[in-house]
Amino acid sequence: GKDIVSFDQFSADDVRRIFALAGHMKQLVLGKEPCQLLAGQLVSLLFFEPSSRTFGSFAAAVKRLGGQTLEIQNPETVSSVNKGETFEDTIRVFEAYSDAIVLRHPRPGAALRAAESAEFVPVLNAGDGNNEHPTQTVLDLYTLYERFGRLDNLTGVMAGDALNSRTIHSLMRGLSLFENNTVYLLSPEKLRLNREDLNMFRSRNITIHEITSERDIPRDCQYWYWTRIQKERFDSLTEYNEMVAQRFTVTPALLAEYASQEMILMDPLPRIGTIDTEVDKDHRAVYLRSQVRNGLYTRMALLALVLGRA
Ligand code: CP
């Protein structure tokens, strides 16, 4: 099927194919060229969790390709949330109305359940709890590729909530498709990747070092990838605040001390205590520039592919 549930479904060749198409989409958008690739197609955007970038870029992607969207952004309006309808039934109802479903959901595994429930239309995982966010990884890899011209031989830091960050979980999968990549994971002790996931990643084609202080960041990294402590994943505010007190924030001083001039500073956003706004004007800051824009181009490419239009 054409569902996109986990980044594990992609090969290195798939990534290259998506990139070629994303480059084409970028030219379309920058050239303001009208495009009707998705004319007659309707895509349901079912967002059971808040979102700015993923929702906005998917909606923009469909519309820029001449398609239409059916948008659910408030889960309280969905019968499965408020009247006890099953999640599976909700998915089957929306598949009857649309040609693809883009799903964000707080529950890990929700995208897989949706893909199994939908019989006729592709389901795209727009983030399922603390599990995965595969389309974010496509834009993250595209951003790295645009800057360095390769996806192998890269060393980077991924900082923040490694335990809960679905963007880190998918990005590690993505980088493990290529050769000789090394990741330094910088997290508070309690927010380290869970041990089972760590062992799973260590059995793959990627080298992982866990570090607990900024002082351990190697100075020759090609990228820093900062993620927020995720308030919505904690049972209590006390626990969240305890983790916030231990978080790492990128400041001009931290960059000056540990980052090369050639690296890029990434953040999937939203930025909650991850990066000082002082850093935004730095030439290495790509989170509000390339990353956000690449989210549009890569999602245009993914939609064209899963809908059989490319
Ligand atoms: N990066 C990301 O997924 O952002 P949103 O939660 O705003 O979609």
Side-chain angles (χ1 to χ4, degrees), residues 51-54 104 133 136 268-269:
S51 167
S52 299
R53 280 143 293 271
T54 314
R104 167 164 293 193
H133 196 349
Q136 174 75 40
L269 306 177

Side-chain angles (χ1 to χ4, degrees), residues 47-55 73 75 104-106 126 166 228 232-233 270:
F47 278 62
F48 292 78
E49 259 190 355
S51 167
S52 299
R53 280 143 293 271
T54 314
F55 181 85
Q73 276 186 283
R104 167 164 293 193
H105 201 281
R166 56 197 175 200
R228 72 191 166 97
E232 65 272 37
R233 310 286 173 228

